[in-house]
Amino acid sequence: MTTVEAARTRAPLGRLAAAEVRWVLRRPRTLVLLALLASVPVAVGVGIALTGGPGGGDGDGPGLVAAVAGNGLVLPIAALGLALTLLLPLTVATAAADALAGEAQHGTLRGLLLAPVGRGRLVVMKAVGVVAVTVLAVLVVAVAGVITGLVVVGGPDGTLITLSGTALGLWEAMGRVALVAAWTIVQLLAVGAVALAISAFTEHPLVVLAAVLGGLIVFGVLAAVPSLEWLQPLLLTSGWGAGTDALRDPLPLDDLASSTARALVYLVVGVALTVWRMRHRDG
């Protein structure tokens, strides 16, 4: 078979990517995780609406959640911050674990490697599935947070009262929510890239989940040790509190920019390791 004939037998990359996305979104575990993510802002909003918790706070931890009371547009940002601690990384890591390690465990990865798909095209196809889950997961939290915040929690005429005490109009507030959502997607893409790289080296999806979630926990512990402060620039999770900066006026961008740059480094390293491994993998 000539090179031209072999190329004609290959399915278009767009068709492969679309098939991968459909397959990923049909998995019961993906649907369950998305439902859990949607429940986070709903649970927080309903709980605050019922208890009538006090507003205010300094933007960290419970203070941010307390600031949701009577200020519904804070809810999507608070929900994204809460979900980023566990559920969002778990969702992305699960998709990455199924992408390669899951295929290897079920014996289907070898067939994909032997088919005229191409190693590079295979990595792109699997990466598209992980990206789709990542974007959809963040959108689910953000959209559910906005709807719950406006309908259940309410607020001062559709405005957002920042932690600095100023008021933002509806569209400016939605811009802040979109900024945090985009920033969160970048952080999760870094997690997904690392998880995909680990998935390329093993045939056990649980190993991927344990490595990723365990690594994030270790990062959190290291960040809490004062004597290891010099490690902060190297830890992916050390910038995960920067999302609350969107609730300040004027908007500080230093932490958002540094955490984004750090995530991009992890993303590049993860993708490079995945490509290298898949080009040298037999099955």
mmCIF file of all heavy atoms in Angstrom, residues 58-61 64 74 76-78 80-82 84-85 163 175-187 232 235-263:
data_model
loop_
_atom_site.group_PDB
_atom_site.id
_atom_site.type_symbol
_atom_site.label_atom_id
_atom_site.label_comp_id
_atom_site.label_asym_id
_atom_site.label_seq_id
_atom_site.Cartn_x
_atom_site.Cartn_y
_atom_site.Cartn_z
ATOM 1 N N ASP A 58 -13.118 37.861 53.984
ATOM 2 C CA ASP A 58 -11.906 38.409 53.398
ATOM 3 C C ASP A 58 -11.503 37.734 52.115
ATOM 4 O O ASP A 58 -10.451 37.981 51.565
ATOM 5 C CB ASP A 58 -10.741 38.316 54.403
ATOM 6 C CG ASP A 58 -10.483 36.881 54.844
ATOM 7 O OD1 ASP A 58 -11.164 35.976 54.312
ATOM 8 O OD2 ASP A 58 -9.600 36.672 55.697
ATOM 9 N N GLY A 59 -12.348 36.811 51.610
ATOM 10 C CA GLY A 59 -12.044 36.170 50.346
ATOM 11 C C GLY A 59 -11.318 34.869 50.470
ATOM 12 O O GLY A 59 -10.919 34.286 49.486
ATOM 13 N N ASP A 60 -11.121 34.355 51.663
ATOM 14 C CA ASP A 60 -10.427 33.101 51.839
ATOM 15 C C ASP A 60 -11.337 32.121 52.555
ATOM 16 O O ASP A 60 -11.888 32.425 53.615
ATOM 17 C CB ASP A 60 -9.142 33.282 52.659
ATOM 18 C CG ASP A 60 -8.149 34.189 51.949
ATOM 19 O OD1 ASP A 60 -8.006 34.038 50.732
ATOM 20 O OD2 ASP A 60 -7.537 35.034 52.619
ATOM 21 N N GLY A 61 -11.470 30.917 51.984
ATOM 22 C CA GLY A 61 -12.171 29.838 52.667
ATOM 23 C C GLY A 61 -13.596 30.212 53.008
ATOM 24 O O GLY A 61 -14.358 30.706 52.183
ATOM 25 N N LEU A 64 -15.262 33.582 51.937
ATOM 26 C CA LEU A 64 -15.758 33.715 50.577
ATOM 27 C C LEU A 64 -17.158 33.143 50.460
ATOM 28 O O LEU A 64 -18.034 33.730 49.829
ATOM 29 C CB LEU A 64 -14.817 33.016 49.592
ATOM 30 C CG LEU A 64 -15.250 33.042 48.127
ATOM 31 C CD1 LEU A 64 -15.377 34.469 47.627
ATOM 32 C CD2 LEU A 64 -14.266 32.258 47.271
ATOM 33 N N VAL A 74 -21.537 36.173 43.463
ATOM 34 C CA VAL A 74 -20.308 35.631 44.046
ATOM 35 C C VAL A 74 -20.325 34.107 44.002
ATOM 36 O O VAL A 74 -19.274 33.466 43.967
ATOM 37 C CB VAL A 74 -20.133 36.123 45.506
ATOM 38 C CG1 VAL A 74 -18.924 35.470 46.169
ATOM 39 C CG2 VAL A 74 -19.977 37.633 45.537
ATOM 40 N N PRO A 76 -20.980 31.632 41.702
ATOM 41 C CA PRO A 76 -20.224 30.832 40.724
ATOM 42 C C PRO A 76 -18.722 30.849 40.970
ATOM 43 O O PRO A 76 -18.046 29.837 40.781
ATOM 44 C CB PRO A 76 -20.580 31.472 39.378
ATOM 45 C CG PRO A 76 -21.129 32.810 39.708
ATOM 46 C CD PRO A 76 -21.779 32.678 41.045
ATOM 47 N N ILE A 77 -18.188 31.982 41.422
ATOM 48 C CA ILE A 77 -16.751 32.054 41.698
ATOM 49 C C ILE A 77 -16.413 31.236 42.932
ATOM 50 O O ILE A 77 -15.407 30.507 42.958
ATOM 51 C CB ILE A 77 -16.326 33.525 41.871
ATOM 52 C CG1 ILE A 77 -16.551 34.273 40.554
ATOM 53 C CG2 ILE A 77 -14.870 33.629 42.318
ATOM 54 C CD1 ILE A 77 -16.240 35.752 40.610
ATOM 55 N N ALA A 78 -17.246 31.325 43.959
ATOM 56 C CA ALA A 78 -17.026 30.528 45.164
ATOM 57 C C ALA A 78 -17.149 29.038 44.860
ATOM 58 O O ALA A 78 -16.358 28.226 45.356
ATOM 59 C CB ALA A 78 -18.026 30.928 46.253
ATOM 60 N N LEU A 80 -16.625 27.496 41.983
ATOM 61 C CA LEU A 80 -15.456 27.055 41.220
ATOM 62 C C LEU A 80 -14.261 26.847 42.139
ATOM 63 O O LEU A 80 -13.496 25.890 41.988
ATOM 64 C CB LEU A 80 -15.113 28.075 40.138
ATOM 65 C CG LEU A 80 -16.032 28.090 38.908
ATOM 66 C CD1 LEU A 80 -15.753 29.303 38.038
ATOM 67 C CD2 LEU A 80 -15.865 26.805 38.100
ATOM 68 N N GLY A 81 -14.088 27.734 43.121
ATOM 69 C CA GLY A 81 -12.996 27.567 44.071
ATOM 70 C C GLY A 81 -13.149 26.319 44.918
ATOM 71 O O GLY A 81 -12.176 25.595 45.161
ATOM 72 N N LEU A 82 -14.373 26.047 45.356
ATOM 73 C CA LEU A 82 -14.617 24.848 46.162
ATOM 74 C C LEU A 82 -14.412 23.580 45.332
ATOM 75 O O LEU A 82 -13.793 22.615 45.794
ATOM 76 C CB LEU A 82 -16.037 24.883 46.731
ATOM 77 C CG LEU A 82 -16.324 25.925 47.807
ATOM 78 C CD1 LEU A 82 -17.809 25.943 48.138
ATOM 79 C CD2 LEU A 82 -15.509 25.637 49.063
ATOM 80 N N LEU A 84 -12.604 23.185 42.738
ATOM 81 C CA LEU A 84 -11.214 23.025 42.303
ATOM 82 C C LEU A 84 -10.378 22.264 43.321
ATOM 83 O O LEU A 84 -9.337 21.703 42.976
ATOM 84 C CB LEU A 84 -10.595 24.405 42.043
ATOM 85 C CG LEU A 84 -9.184 24.448 41.451
ATOM 86 C CD1 LEU A 84 -9.127 23.708 40.124
ATOM 87 C CD2 LEU A 84 -8.720 25.887 41.285
ATOM 88 N N THR A 85 -10.836 22.211 44.563
ATOM 89 C CA THR A 85 -10.065 21.506 45.595
ATOM 90 C C THR A 85 -10.111 19.992 45.423
ATOM 91 O O THR A 85 -9.177 19.302 45.831
ATOM 92 C CB THR A 85 -10.585 21.869 46.991
ATOM 93 O OG1 THR A 85 -11.976 21.495 47.098
ATOM 94 C CG2 THR A 85 -10.457 23.361 47.244
ATOM 95 N N LEU A 163 -15.335 42.184 47.186
ATOM 96 C CA LEU A 163 -14.766 42.123 48.527
ATOM 97 C C LEU A 163 -14.118 43.448 48.919
ATOM 98 O O LEU A 163 -13.790 43.651 50.087
ATOM 99 C CB LEU A 163 -13.739 40.990 48.601
ATOM 100 C CG LEU A 163 -14.291 39.585 48.353
ATOM 101 C CD1 LEU A 163 -13.167 38.569 48.310
ATOM 102 C CD2 LEU A 163 -15.320 39.205 49.404
ATOM 103 N N GLY A 175 -18.334 39.092 33.303
ATOM 104 C CA GLY A 175 -16.971 39.046 32.784
ATOM 105 C C GLY A 175 -15.996 38.492 33.814
ATOM 106 O O GLY A 175 -15.083 37.734 33.464
ATOM 107 N N ARG A 176 -16.192 38.870 35.080
ATOM 108 C CA ARG A 176 -15.334 38.332 36.145
ATOM 109 C C ARG A 176 -15.546 36.822 36.286
ATOM 110 O O ARG A 176 -14.587 36.064 36.472
ATOM 111 C CB ARG A 176 -15.646 39.030 37.472
ATOM 112 C CG ARG A 176 -15.358 40.532 37.489
ATOM 113 C CD ARG A 176 -13.878 40.820 37.448
ATOM 114 N NE ARG A 176 -13.590 42.254 37.516
ATOM 115 C CZ ARG A 176 -13.294 42.921 38.616
ATOM 116 N NH1 ARG A 176 -13.246 42.271 39.775
ATOM 117 N NH2 ARG A 176 -13.046 44.214 38.592
ATOM 118 N N VAL A 177 -16.787 36.377 36.207
ATOM 119 C CA VAL A 177 -17.077 34.939 36.281
ATOM 120 C C VAL A 177 -16.424 34.206 35.117
ATOM 121 O O VAL A 177 -15.822 33.131 35.284
ATOM 122 C CB VAL A 177 -18.599 34.684 36.296
ATOM 123 C CG1 VAL A 177 -18.898 33.191 36.219
ATOM 124 C CG2 VAL A 177 -19.236 35.275 37.549
ATOM 125 N N ALA A 178 -16.524 34.777 33.918
ATOM 126 C CA ALA A 178 -15.902 34.154 32.739
ATOM 127 C C ALA A 178 -14.389 34.101 32.888
ATOM 128 O O ALA A 178 -13.747 33.118 32.483
ATOM 129 C CB ALA A 178 -16.286 34.929 31.478
ATOM 130 N N LEU A 179 -13.802 35.130 33.474
ATOM 131 C CA LEU A 179 -12.357 35.144 33.694
ATOM 132 C C LEU A 179 -11.939 34.015 34.623
ATOM 133 O O LEU A 179 -10.967 33.286 34.345
ATOM 134 C CB LEU A 179 -11.937 36.491 34.276
ATOM 135 C CG LEU A 179 -10.466 36.609 34.719
ATOM 136 C CD1 LEU A 179 -9.535 36.468 33.522
ATOM 137 C CD2 LEU A 179 -10.235 37.935 35.440
ATOM 138 N N VAL A 180 -12.663 33.835 35.725
ATOM 139 C CA VAL A 180 -12.335 32.761 36.669
ATOM 140 C C VAL A 180 -12.553 31.399 36.023
ATOM 141 O O VAL A 180 -11.769 30.468 36.235
ATOM 142 C CB VAL A 180 -13.177 32.892 37.957
ATOM 143 C CG1 VAL A 180 -12.923 31.728 38.902
ATOM 144 C CG2 VAL A 180 -12.852 34.208 38.661
ATOM 145 N N ALA A 181 -13.618 31.272 35.224
ATOM 146 C CA ALA A 181 -13.873 29.998 34.545
ATOM 147 C C ALA A 181 -12.737 29.668 33.582
ATOM 148 O O ALA A 181 -12.251 28.523 33.542
ATOM 149 C CB ALA A 181 -15.204 30.054 33.806
ATOM 150 N N ALA A 182 -12.284 30.649 32.802
ATOM 151 C CA ALA A 182 -11.180 30.415 31.873
ATOM 152 C C ALA A 182 -9.895 30.074 32.629
ATOM 153 O O ALA A 182 -9.139 29.183 32.218
ATOM 154 C CB ALA A 182 -10.967 31.650 30.997
ATOM 155 N N TRP A 183 -9.633 30.788 33.708
ATOM 156 C CA TRP A 183 -8.447 30.508 34.526
ATOM 157 C C TRP A 183 -8.511 29.094 35.115
ATOM 158 O O TRP A 183 -7.508 28.371 35.124
ATOM 159 C CB TRP A 183 -8.348 31.544 35.642
ATOM 160 C CG TRP A 183 -7.292 31.263 36.659
ATOM 161 C CD1 TRP A 183 -5.957 31.550 36.571
ATOM 162 C CD2 TRP A 183 -7.477 30.622 37.929
ATOM 163 N NE1 TRP A 183 -5.299 31.134 37.705
ATOM 164 C CE2 TRP A 183 -6.203 30.568 38.552
ATOM 165 C CE3 TRP A 183 -8.579 30.109 38.589
ATOM 166 C CZ2 TRP A 183 -6.028 30.004 39.815
ATOM 167 C CZ3 TRP A 183 -8.410 29.549 39.851
ATOM 168 C CH2 TRP A 183 -7.148 29.501 40.435
ATOM 169 N N THR A 184 -9.687 28.703 35.569
ATOM 170 C CA THR A 184 -9.862 27.356 36.124
ATOM 171 C C THR A 184 -9.629 26.292 35.068
ATOM 172 O O THR A 184 -9.028 25.243 35.345
ATOM 173 C CB THR A 184 -11.274 27.211 36.728
ATOM 174 O OG1 THR A 184 -11.488 28.227 37.709
ATOM 175 C CG2 THR A 184 -11.435 25.841 37.397
ATOM 176 N N ILE A 185 -10.098 26.537 33.853
ATOM 177 C CA ILE A 185 -9.881 25.582 32.759
ATOM 178 C C ILE A 185 -8.395 25.368 32.524
ATOM 179 O O ILE A 185 -7.932 24.237 32.333
ATOM 180 C CB ILE A 185 -10.588 26.064 31.482
ATOM 181 C CG1 ILE A 185 -12.106 25.917 31.623
ATOM 182 C CG2 ILE A 185 -10.100 25.281 30.264
ATOM 183 C CD1 ILE A 185 -12.895 26.518 30.473
ATOM 184 N N VAL A 186 -7.610 26.450 32.541
ATOM 185 C CA VAL A 186 -6.166 26.320 32.329
ATOM 186 C C VAL A 186 -5.537 25.481 33.440
ATOM 187 O O VAL A 186 -4.696 24.603 33.171
ATOM 188 C CB VAL A 186 -5.508 27.712 32.260
ATOM 189 C CG1 VAL A 186 -3.989 27.579 32.188
ATOM 190 C CG2 VAL A 186 -6.018 28.486 31.062
ATOM 191 N N GLN A 187 -5.926 25.730 34.688
ATOM 192 C CA GLN A 187 -5.378 24.942 35.793
ATOM 193 C C GLN A 187 -5.719 23.456 35.629
ATOM 194 O O GLN A 187 -4.877 22.577 35.860
ATOM 195 C CB GLN A 187 -5.944 25.445 37.136
ATOM 196 C CG GLN A 187 -5.701 26.908 37.410
ATOM 197 C CD GLN A 187 -4.238 27.291 37.382
ATOM 198 O OE1 GLN A 187 -3.398 26.640 38.010
ATOM 199 N NE2 GLN A 187 -3.915 28.336 36.643
ATOM 200 N N GLN A 232 7.109 27.002 46.719
ATOM 201 C CA GLN A 232 5.835 27.535 46.240
ATOM 202 C C GLN A 232 5.789 27.749 44.722
ATOM 203 O O GLN A 232 4.815 27.377 44.082
ATOM 204 C CB GLN A 232 5.527 28.859 46.960
ATOM 205 C CG GLN A 232 5.237 28.727 48.445
ATOM 206 C CD GLN A 232 3.855 28.169 48.719
ATOM 207 O OE1 GLN A 232 3.011 28.121 47.840
ATOM 208 N NE2 GLN A 232 3.638 27.721 49.938
ATOM 209 N N LEU A 235 4.922 24.421 42.838
ATOM 210 C CA LEU A 235 3.727 23.640 43.167
ATOM 211 C C LEU A 235 2.523 24.167 42.399
ATOM 212 O O LEU A 235 2.179 25.347 42.500
ATOM 213 C CB LEU A 235 3.453 23.695 44.665
ATOM 214 C CG LEU A 235 4.595 23.238 45.578
ATOM 215 C CD1 LEU A 235 4.201 23.394 47.045
ATOM 216 C CD2 LEU A 235 4.982 21.797 45.272
ATOM 217 N N LEU A 236 1.882 23.299 41.648
ATOM 218 C CA LEU A 236 0.731 23.710 40.841
ATOM 219 C C LEU A 236 -0.382 24.285 41.705
ATOM 220 O O LEU A 236 -1.020 25.276 41.341
ATOM 221 C CB LEU A 236 0.213 22.514 40.037
ATOM 222 C CG LEU A 236 -1.027 22.747 39.175
ATOM 223 C CD1 LEU A 236 -0.739 23.802 38.103
ATOM 224 C CD2 LEU A 236 -1.497 21.452 38.526
ATOM 225 N N THR A 237 -0.621 23.696 42.862
ATOM 226 C CA THR A 237 -1.752 24.104 43.694
ATOM 227 C C THR A 237 -1.496 25.377 44.482
ATOM 228 O O THR A 237 -2.440 25.928 45.066
ATOM 229 C CB THR A 237 -2.098 22.981 44.687
ATOM 230 O OG1 THR A 237 -0.944 22.685 45.492
ATOM 231 C CG2 THR A 237 -2.521 21.724 43.955
ATOM 232 N N SER A 238 -0.267 25.857 44.508
ATOM 233 C CA SER A 238 0.032 27.027 45.338
ATOM 234 C C SER A 238 -0.653 28.291 44.832
ATOM 235 O O SER A 238 -0.795 29.264 45.566
ATOM 236 C CB SER A 238 1.542 27.252 45.412
ATOM 237 O OG SER A 238 2.069 27.563 44.123
ATOM 238 N N GLY A 239 -1.098 28.293 43.584
ATOM 239 C CA GLY A 239 -1.788 29.473 43.045
ATOM 240 C C GLY A 239 -3.277 29.288 42.908
ATOM 241 O O GLY A 239 -3.945 30.118 42.282
ATOM 242 N N TRP A 240 -3.826 28.212 43.470
ATOM 243 C CA TRP A 240 -5.235 27.929 43.249
ATOM 244 C C TRP A 240 -6.182 28.811 44.052
ATOM 245 O O TRP A 240 -7.402 28.699 43.909
ATOM 246 C CB TRP A 240 -5.509 26.448 43.528
ATOM 247 C CG TRP A 240 -5.119 25.595 42.356
ATOM 248 C CD1 TRP A 240 -4.464 26.000 41.241
ATOM 249 C CD2 TRP A 240 -5.371 24.205 42.180
ATOM 250 N NE1 TRP A 240 -4.277 24.941 40.376
ATOM 251 C CE2 TRP A 240 -4.823 23.826 40.933
ATOM 252 C CE3 TRP A 240 -5.982 23.228 42.954
ATOM 253 C CZ2 TRP A 240 -4.885 22.532 40.438
ATOM 254 C CZ3 TRP A 240 -6.047 21.932 42.476
ATOM 255 C CH2 TRP A 240 -5.502 21.583 41.234
ATOM 256 N N GLY A 241 -5.665 29.679 44.884
ATOM 257 C CA GLY A 241 -6.531 30.636 45.568
ATOM 258 C C GLY A 241 -6.668 31.944 44.812
ATOM 259 O O GLY A 241 -7.375 32.847 45.252
ATOM 260 N N ALA A 242 -6.006 32.036 43.657
ATOM 261 C CA ALA A 242 -6.000 33.302 42.915
ATOM 262 C C ALA A 242 -7.352 33.638 42.303
ATOM 263 O O ALA A 242 -7.595 34.792 41.940
ATOM 264 C CB ALA A 242 -4.934 33.254 41.820
ATOM 265 N N GLY A 243 -8.236 32.667 42.181
ATOM 266 C CA GLY A 243 -9.538 32.934 41.585
ATOM 267 C C GLY A 243 -10.337 33.971 42.353
ATOM 268 O O GLY A 243 -11.137 34.709 41.773
ATOM 269 N N THR A 244 -10.122 34.056 43.666
ATOM 270 C CA THR A 244 -10.864 35.032 44.467
ATOM 271 C C THR A 244 -10.439 36.471 44.166
ATOM 272 O O THR A 244 -11.145 37.397 44.545
ATOM 273 C CB THR A 244 -10.659 34.750 45.969
ATOM 274 O OG1 THR A 244 -9.259 34.829 46.273
ATOM 275 C CG2 THR A 244 -11.172 33.366 46.320
ATOM 276 N N ASP A 245 -9.314 36.644 43.494
ATOM 277 C CA ASP A 245 -8.888 38.000 43.133
ATOM 278 C C ASP A 245 -9.879 38.662 42.189
ATOM 279 O O ASP A 245 -9.920 39.898 42.081
ATOM 280 C CB ASP A 245 -7.504 37.968 42.480
ATOM 281 C CG ASP A 245 -6.394 37.704 43.491
ATOM 282 O OD1 ASP A 245 -6.672 37.786 44.704
ATOM 283 O OD2 ASP A 245 -5.259 37.415 43.063
ATOM 284 N N ALA A 246 -10.676 37.852 41.485
ATOM 285 C CA ALA A 246 -11.682 38.412 40.588
ATOM 286 C C ALA A 246 -12.766 39.164 41.345
ATOM 287 O O ALA A 246 -13.544 39.917 40.750
ATOM 288 C CB ALA A 246 -12.312 37.306 39.745
ATOM 289 N N LEU A 247 -12.839 38.958 42.667
ATOM 290 C CA LEU A 247 -13.835 39.637 43.483
ATOM 291 C C LEU A 247 -13.285 40.901 44.132
ATOM 292 O O LEU A 247 -13.901 41.452 45.045
ATOM 293 C CB LEU A 247 -14.356 38.684 44.566
ATOM 294 C CG LEU A 247 -15.128 37.469 44.046
ATOM 295 C CD1 LEU A 247 -15.440 36.508 45.180
ATOM 296 C CD2 LEU A 247 -16.412 37.912 43.358
ATOM 297 N N ARG A 248 -12.134 41.333 43.681
ATOM 298 C CA ARG A 248 -11.543 42.562 44.214
ATOM 299 C C ARG A 248 -11.569 43.651 43.146
ATOM 300 O O ARG A 248 -11.575 43.378 41.944
ATOM 301 C CB ARG A 248 -10.114 42.298 44.690
ATOM 302 C CG ARG A 248 -10.014 41.165 45.699
ATOM 303 C CD ARG A 248 -8.619 41.029 46.288
ATOM 304 N NE ARG A 248 -8.494 39.818 47.078
ATOM 305 C CZ ARG A 248 -8.910 39.676 48.325
ATOM 306 N NH1 ARG A 248 -9.498 40.708 48.928
ATOM 307 N NH2 ARG A 248 -8.756 38.542 48.976
ATOM 308 N N ASP A 249 -11.600 44.890 43.594
ATOM 309 C CA ASP A 249 -11.655 46.025 42.681
ATOM 310 C C ASP A 249 -10.724 47.125 43.189
ATOM 311 O O ASP A 249 -10.871 47.579 44.318
ATOM 312 C CB ASP A 249 -13.089 46.548 42.596
ATOM 313 C CG ASP A 249 -13.290 47.527 41.457
ATOM 314 O OD1 ASP A 249 -12.587 47.392 40.433
ATOM 315 O OD2 ASP A 249 -14.134 48.425 41.594
ATOM 316 N N PRO A 250 -9.708 47.470 42.376
ATOM 317 C CA PRO A 250 -9.416 47.013 41.007
ATOM 318 C C PRO A 250 -8.918 45.568 40.975
ATOM 319 O O PRO A 250 -8.456 45.049 41.984
ATOM 320 C CB PRO A 250 -8.339 47.979 40.536
ATOM 321 C CG PRO A 250 -7.669 48.441 41.790
ATOM 322 C CD PRO A 250 -8.742 48.494 42.835
ATOM 323 N N LEU A 251 -9.027 44.971 39.822
ATOM 324 C CA LEU A 251 -8.695 43.554 39.662
ATOM 325 C C LEU A 251 -7.181 43.340 39.662
ATOM 326 O O LEU A 251 -6.489 43.818 38.767
ATOM 327 C CB LEU A 251 -9.284 43.043 38.346
ATOM 328 C CG LEU A 251 -8.941 41.610 37.939
ATOM 329 C CD1 LEU A 251 -9.505 40.626 38.950
ATOM 330 C CD2 LEU A 251 -9.476 41.318 36.539
ATOM 331 N N PRO A 252 -6.647 42.629 40.673
ATOM 332 C CA PRO A 252 -5.209 42.310 40.668
ATOM 333 C C PRO A 252 -4.949 41.106 39.763
ATOM 334 O O PRO A 252 -5.640 40.093 39.847
ATOM 335 C CB PRO A 252 -4.925 41.982 42.136
ATOM 336 C CG PRO A 252 -6.226 41.479 42.674
ATOM 337 C CD PRO A 252 -7.312 42.159 41.895
ATOM 338 N N LEU A 253 -3.949 41.215 38.919
ATOM 339 C CA LEU A 253 -3.682 40.169 37.937
ATOM 340 C C LEU A 253 -2.403 39.388 38.201
ATOM 341 O O LEU A 253 -2.145 38.398 37.508
ATOM 342 C CB LEU A 253 -3.611 40.772 36.531
ATOM 343 C CG LEU A 253 -4.905 41.402 36.002
ATOM 344 C CD1 LEU A 253 -4.647 42.067 34.657
ATOM 345 C CD2 LEU A 253 -5.997 40.352 35.881
ATOM 346 N N ASP A 254 -1.609 39.796 39.181
ATOM 347 C CA ASP A 254 -0.303 39.163 39.383
ATOM 348 C C ASP A 254 -0.429 37.673 39.686
ATOM 349 O O ASP A 254 0.212 36.832 39.035
ATOM 350 C CB ASP A 254 0.453 39.863 40.519
ATOM 351 C CG ASP A 254 0.899 41.262 40.119
ATOM 352 O OD1 ASP A 254 0.848 41.570 38.915
ATOM 353 O OD2 ASP A 254 1.276 42.044 41.010
ATOM 354 N N ASP A 255 -1.252 37.312 40.678
ATOM 355 C CA ASP A 255 -1.387 35.903 41.056
ATOM 356 C C ASP A 255 -2.064 35.096 39.957
ATOM 357 O O ASP A 255 -1.713 33.925 39.720
ATOM 358 C CB ASP A 255 -2.169 35.779 42.368
ATOM 359 C CG ASP A 255 -1.375 36.260 43.561
ATOM 360 O OD1 ASP A 255 -0.137 36.367 43.440
ATOM 361 O OD2 ASP A 255 -1.989 36.533 44.611
ATOM 362 N N LEU A 256 -3.052 35.686 39.284
ATOM 363 C CA LEU A 256 -3.708 34.986 38.183
ATOM 364 C C LEU A 256 -2.715 34.699 37.062
ATOM 365 O O LEU A 256 -2.700 33.594 36.490
ATOM 366 C CB LEU A 256 -4.876 35.818 37.648
ATOM 367 C CG LEU A 256 -6.111 35.926 38.543
ATOM 368 C CD1 LEU A 256 -7.065 36.980 38.000
ATOM 369 C CD2 LEU A 256 -6.816 34.585 38.655
ATOM 370 N N ALA A 257 -1.871 35.654 36.756
ATOM 371 C CA ALA A 257 -0.898 35.481 35.673
ATOM 372 C C ALA A 257 0.170 34.458 36.046
ATOM 373 O O ALA A 257 0.523 33.589 35.232
ATOM 374 C CB ALA A 257 -0.249 36.824 35.342
ATOM 375 N N SER A 258 0.694 34.534 37.279
ATOM 376 C CA SER A 258 1.757 33.603 37.685
ATOM 377 C C SER A 258 1.237 32.175 37.770
ATOM 378 O O SER A 258 1.921 31.229 37.358
ATOM 379 C CB SER A 258 2.349 34.034 39.028
ATOM 380 O OG SER A 258 1.359 34.030 40.048
ATOM 381 N N SER A 259 0.025 31.996 38.284
ATOM 382 C CA SER A 259 -0.530 30.642 38.368
ATOM 383 C C SER A 259 -0.846 30.093 36.984
ATOM 384 O O SER A 259 -0.709 28.887 36.733
ATOM 385 C CB SER A 259 -1.786 30.638 39.246
ATOM 386 O OG SER A 259 -2.760 31.533 38.744
ATOM 387 N N THR A 260 -1.242 30.964 36.055
ATOM 388 C CA THR A 260 -1.490 30.525 34.682
ATOM 389 C C THR A 260 -0.191 30.098 34.006
ATOM 390 O O THR A 260 -0.150 29.056 33.324
ATOM 391 C CB THR A 260 -2.146 31.659 33.875
ATOM 392 O OG1 THR A 260 -3.408 31.999 34.467
ATOM 393 C CG2 THR A 260 -2.367 31.236 32.429
ATOM 394 N N ALA A 261 0.870 30.871 34.207
ATOM 395 C CA ALA A 261 2.170 30.505 33.625
ATOM 396 C C ALA A 261 2.655 29.174 34.184
ATOM 397 O O ALA A 261 3.183 28.328 33.454
ATOM 398 C CB ALA A 261 3.188 31.607 33.906
ATOM 399 N N ARG A 262 2.477 28.963 35.482
ATOM 400 C CA ARG A 262 2.892 27.707 36.106
ATOM 401 C C ARG A 262 2.104 26.530 35.525
ATOM 402 O O ARG A 262 2.664 25.470 35.229
ATOM 403 C CB ARG A 262 2.683 27.795 37.615
ATOM 404 C CG ARG A 262 3.214 26.598 38.396
ATOM 405 C CD ARG A 262 2.912 26.733 39.879
ATOM 406 N NE ARG A 262 3.451 27.968 40.427
ATOM 407 C CZ ARG A 262 2.704 28.986 40.858
ATOM 408 N NH1 ARG A 262 1.381 28.918 40.807
ATOM 409 N NH2 ARG A 262 3.276 30.059 41.349
ATOM 410 N N ALA A 263 0.794 26.734 35.342
ATOM 411 C CA ALA A 263 -0.038 25.669 34.786
ATOM 412 C C ALA A 263 0.374 25.349 33.356
ATOM 413 O O ALA A 263 0.363 24.177 32.949
ATOM 414 C CB ALA A 263 -1.503 26.082 34.841
#
